[in-house]
Amino acid sequence: MIIHKNSRRSSLLLLSGATLMLAAATPGAAAGVPGTSLSPAGHRFSAVAAGPVVFEAGPIVVTCATSSSLPGTGSRNTIPDGPAAANPAGPVAVRIAPPTFKDCTTDAPGLRVAVETNEAAGPWQVQLQYGTPGTARLSIPSGGFVLRTSGLLACTATAAPNGPATAEGRWRQEGGPAVLLERAPIPVKLEGSFFCATSVTSATITAEYTVRNTTDPARPITVGPSLPG
């Protein structure tokens, strides 16, 4: 059984990102990479998909109508206070709540889809780098994303099966802060019935996540240059 790709859905170039506990600044940045700072300090934020999120794994194309990462307990989705909000040598890593994905479908009739996320093996993070354009790298813990199909075809796709993995994206400041993923590749493991494409080892994700300050909506979340100390 082959599930044909829907060209309209496949052309949607949206995500990502981004759900955000700030980890330590990433050491060892390459020479010439500008520093990064995040603001406003201590403010919390949400990351909500501005449109559908599209996953492609071999012949399987899955579209999720809604996705979000929202502030909860602890420091997830929070811009930290103090030095942790800046890295003079490169990107800043921010911990986020695992995003949820709802109302997911495929182009194949009679096929149901469910997506589960977790942080059992480690945190979800976004590494934000100031620049023109800025970059946003979405880090997924090992086994932190599992997509299952049922009905006519029972398959399981597990992202980052052998360790944490990163999807490369970019940060947009102008026009509203957002994390953008455009067919960003990530390793996967496919398992299931005979017709599952178990030889596929990579999938892509396409999405646009609007990032909003939930502490003070009038002040946008900003990724800027790291100022001299």
Side-chain angles (χ1 to χ4, degrees):
M1 174 179 179
I2 297 177
I3 302 175
H4 295 283
K5 296 181 181 179
N6 181 300
S7 59
R8 177 180 62 83
R9 286 177 176 170
S10 299
S11 66
L12 291 169
L13 297 178
L14 306 169
L15 187 81
S16 290
T19 34
L20 310 163
M21 164 187 147
L22 230 127
T26 303
V33 174
T36 301
S37 65
L38 306 183
S39 64
H43 285 217
R44 313 195 82 184
F45 61 88
S46 64
V48 179
V53 179
V54 179
F55 302 100
E56 299 180 48
I60 299 177
V61 178
V62 173
T63 300
C64 295
T66 63
S67 178
S68 63
S69 173
L70 306 177
T73 59
S75 58
R76 296 174 185 81
N77 293 52
T78 303
I79 303 299
D81 294 305
N87 177 10
V92 173
V94 182
R95 184 170 180 175
I96 62 174
T100 60
F101 299 90
K102 297 181 180 180
D103 301 322
C104 301
T105 60
T106 73
D107 295 330
L111 196 62
R112 297 179 297 277
V113 183
V115 175
E116 300 174 0
T117 57
N118 69 81
E119 50 187 350
W124 285 71
Q125 296 184 96
V126 172
Q127 294 184 20
L128 299 172
Q129 169 69 59
Y130 172 74
T132 308
T135 61
R137 298 178 174 91
L138 177 64
S139 296
I140 302 174
S142 180
F145 175 99
V146 180
L147 184 152
R148 293 183 174 89
T149 63
S150 59
L152 296 178
L153 187 64
C155 301
T156 299
T158 303
N162 301 314
T166 299
E168 300 285 333
R170 65 185 177 92
W171 173 263
R172 185 190 70 204
Q173 194 72 51
E174 298 75 15
V179 174
L180 307 168
L181 301 177
E182 299 184 358
R183 299 195 73 186
I186 197 158
V188 297
K189 181 178 182 180
L190 266 68
E191 301 172 286
S193 60
F194 176 79
F195 291 105
C196 294
T198 55
S199 61
V200 171
T201 58
S202 180
T204 64
I205 180 172
T206 295
E208 174 181 336
Y209 284 89
T210 300
V211 179
R212 291 189 172 90
N213 186 333
T214 60
T215 301
D216 182 356
R219 299 182 65 185
I221 301 299
T222 300
V223 177
S226 176
L227 301 178

